[in-house]
Amino acid sequence: MKVWIGFGAGLIATPVMVLLFARLMTSFYSGVTVTPEYAIAIAATQEIADAIDRYRNHHQRVPDPLEGLEALTPTFLEQLPLDPWNNPYVYEARDTGFADVLSYGADGAPGGTGIASDISGRYGQQFAPRPASFLRSLAVVALAVIPLGALMGARRWPWAAGLLAGTGTLWAMLLFTTLTMTLRVSPATLLGLGIALGCLAGSLAILRNVRGAPTVTCTSVLLAYVLLEYLFTLQ
C-alpha cells in the first residue's frame, strides 16, 4: 500500500513543483504598471524574437553576435526599430541555437524597477540583469530534487520507491506526448523514445522490486528533463 501511495504522489509531485515555480515567477514579474511605451516594448521584443526563430529555421542557426539583429532585415523583419525610449534593442546569443532580445526599459540600463525594468522577448519582464538565469537554475535544482531524493530513500522506505516509480511514469508520459506532437523523425526523437521507455520500464521494475531499477529510473528521469528542455528550446 505504501508503494502505491508513493506512486500516486510521484504522479503529482512534479506538476505541483511546476505550479509553485510558476507562482514564484509571477511574484518576481508582477507589479509593473504597464504604460503604453512599456506595452509597445513588450510587443516589439516578442516580434523580434519571432523573427529570430524564423531566421533560425531558415539558416539552422541564430544570427552571429557580430551580425546582430541587423541580420534579420529585410527578409525576416521589415525594419529594426528603436525601443519606445529611443534606445536600440539588445541582442543576446547564448549559442548557435538560442538567442534573446532585450529592451532595458525607460532608463536604458540593465536592471531597474517599474517601467525601468528590463524586458525580454523570451521571458517577459525582468527585475534584474539576469533573473531568468537565476530562476532557471532554481527550477533545475527543484525538479532534480524529486527523483534524486526518492532514489536516496528507495532502499529504506517503500513509499520513496513508489514516488520514484510514479515520477518515472509521469516523465515517460510527458516525453511520449511531446514526441507525438513533433511528428518528425530525428536523432532527438529516437533518443527521446529510448529515454521514455527507460523511464517506463524502470518504473515497472521498481514496482516489481527489481534490483537496480531505482537507479535506472532516476537516471532516465533526469535525462528526460534535459531532453524536454532542449526540445522546448527549439520551438
Side-chain angles (χ1 to χ4, degrees):
M1 178 61 71
K2 291 181 180 179
V3 172
W4 289 105
I5 292 175
F7 184 84
L11 289 175
I12 65 173
T14 297
V16 168
M17 187 71 73
V18 170
L19 289 174
L20 291 175
F21 177 67
R23 181 66 177 175
L24 178 62
M25 289 188 66
T26 301
S27 68
F28 269 94
Y29 292 157
S30 61
V32 172
T33 300
V34 178
T35 63
E37 292 83 4
Y38 203 84
I40 291 171
I42 291 175
T45 55
Q46 293 173 347
E47 181 182 359
I48 297 172
D50 289 342
I52 293 173
D53 290 339
R54 293 193 296 273
Y55 182 101
R56 181 186 61 200
N57 292 336
H58 183 78
H59 294 284
Q60 308 305 313
R61 65 175 181 85
V62 298
D64 184 271
L66 295 178
E67 298 173 318
L69 296 175
E70 289 77 9
L72 302 175
T73 59
T75 305
F76 304 97
L77 193 67
E78 184 175 349
Q79 59 182 359
L80 188 61
L82 297 175
D83 73 10
W85 302 281
N86 292 319
N87 297 312
Y89 288 98
V90 179
Y91 180 62
E92 288 190 349
R94 299 179 188 174
D95 52 50
T96 60
F98 181 83
D100 196 6
V101 57
L102 303 173
S103 167
Y104 285 150
D107 63 352
T113 59
I115 61 172
S117 58
D118 300 346
I119 303 166
S120 161
R122 304 292 186 186
Y123 303 108
Q125 301 165 212
Q126 295 186 270
F127 284 84
R130 284 286 190 178
S133 297
F134 161 73
L135 292 176
R136 174 189 170 115
S137 300
L138 181 62
V140 170
V141 172
L143 291 175
V145 161
I146 298 174
L148 289 174
L151 174 64
M152 294 176 63
R155 291 186 177 181
R156 294 187 58 186
W157 301 298
W159 65 263
L163 178 68
L164 184 55
T167 302
T169 301
L170 172 70
W171 282 96
M173 292 189 297
L174 290 174
L175 259 182
F176 280 131
T177 302
T178 303
L179 296 174
T180 300
M181 292 173 60
T182 61
L183 295 177
R184 59 173 180 249
V185 177
S186 67
T189 302
L190 297 176
L191 177 62
L193 288 174
I195 294 173
L197 290 173
C199 289
L200 191 57
S203 298
L204 292 174
I206 288 175
L207 296 177
R208 291 180 174 272
N209 202 27
V210 176
R211 184 181 180 88
T215 301
V216 172
T217 306
C218 181
T219 302
S220 298
V221 167
L222 296 177
L223 290 174
Y225 173 65
V226 172
L227 181 61
L228 279 173
E229 184 179 23
Y230 170 76
L231 291 175
F232 282 121
T233 299
L234 292 181
Q235 299 300 316

